[in-house]
């Protein structure tokens, strides 16, 4: 089993990963189209995300519309939504399990159970990473 400082460093990296996973799931920057048009005054930037579509105008105004109906969305967006939400859930679950298994905490009992908890948390993080990367295939 790794040292306590190495475990704490890996835990901090995992927290950054969870925050990045949640930000990537919520932000509408999955697909960006920029249309300058005939002049710079009519420039429009359209961003499509999993949960909303936003339009930014060159005048500084923007408007966003939420995607309410799940069944009217294309299959690849439905799949990306489900895998990213599953990735966020697995990451949060991995954080909870890994907290129990770390050497610097007093939770979890003896060393054998702490080793098993750290291993289970690592498996959760690996699965969350795989689910977070599946949107690339769609």
């Amino acid at each position: 089993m790794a040292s306590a400082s190495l475990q704490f460093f890996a835990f901090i990296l995992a927290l950054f990963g969870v925050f990045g996973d949640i930000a990537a799931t919520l932000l509408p920057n999955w697909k960006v189209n920029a249309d300058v048009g005939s002049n710079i005054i009519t420039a429009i930037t359209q961003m499509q995300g999993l949960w909303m579509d936003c339009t930014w105008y060159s005048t500084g105004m923007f408007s966003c519309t939420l995607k309410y109906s799940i069944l009217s969305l294309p299959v690849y967006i439905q799949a990306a939504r489900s895998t990213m939400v599953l990735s966020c859930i697995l990451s949060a679950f991995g954080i909870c399990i890994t907290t129990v298994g770390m050497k610097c905490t007093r939770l979890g009992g003896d060393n054998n159970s702490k080793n098993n908890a750290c291993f289970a948390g690592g498996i959760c993080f690996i699965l969350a990473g795989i689910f977070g990367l599946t949107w690339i295939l769609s």
Side-chain angles (χ1 to χ4, degrees), residues 7 10-12 14-15 18 21 86-102 114 116-129:
Q7 283 183 350
F11 185 75
I12 296 298
L15 279 177
V18 170
D21 196 19
L86 192 58
S87 175
C88 290
I89 291 170
L90 280 172
S91 296
F93 195 57
I95 288 287
C96 295
I97 292 174
T98 307
T99 302
V100 171
M102 289 173 53
K114 281 186 171 282
N116 291 337
C118 277
F119 183 75
I123 294 297
C124 285
F125 287 128
I126 289 171
L127 288 175

Side-chain angles (χ1 to χ4, degrees), residues 27-111:
L27 289 178
N29 296 0
W30 284 66
K31 183 178 178 184
V32 178
N33 295 327
D35 183 24
V36 177
S38 60
N39 61 15
I40 195 69
I41 295 181
T42 60
I44 296 173
T45 303
Q46 296 176 337
M47 295 183 291
Q48 297 174 347
L50 296 177
W51 310 101
M52 70 177 90
D53 295 333
C54 293
T55 304
W56 293 74
Y57 301 98
S58 61
T59 58
M61 301 290 289
F62 68 93
S63 64
C64 293
T65 57
L66 292 174
K67 297 177 181 178
Y68 288 111
S69 176
I70 295 173
L71 297 176
S72 67
L73 295 173
V75 176
Y76 70 93
I77 292 181
Q78 292 178 12
R81 272 186 175 188
S82 62
T83 56
M84 289 303 291
V85 168
L86 192 58
S87 175
C88 290
I89 291 170
L90 280 172
S91 296
F93 195 57
I95 288 287
C96 295
I97 292 174
T98 307
T99 302
V100 171
M102 289 173 53
K103 283 184 177 179
C104 61
T105 60
R106 294 183 185 251
L107 305 170
D110 61 345
N111 280 340

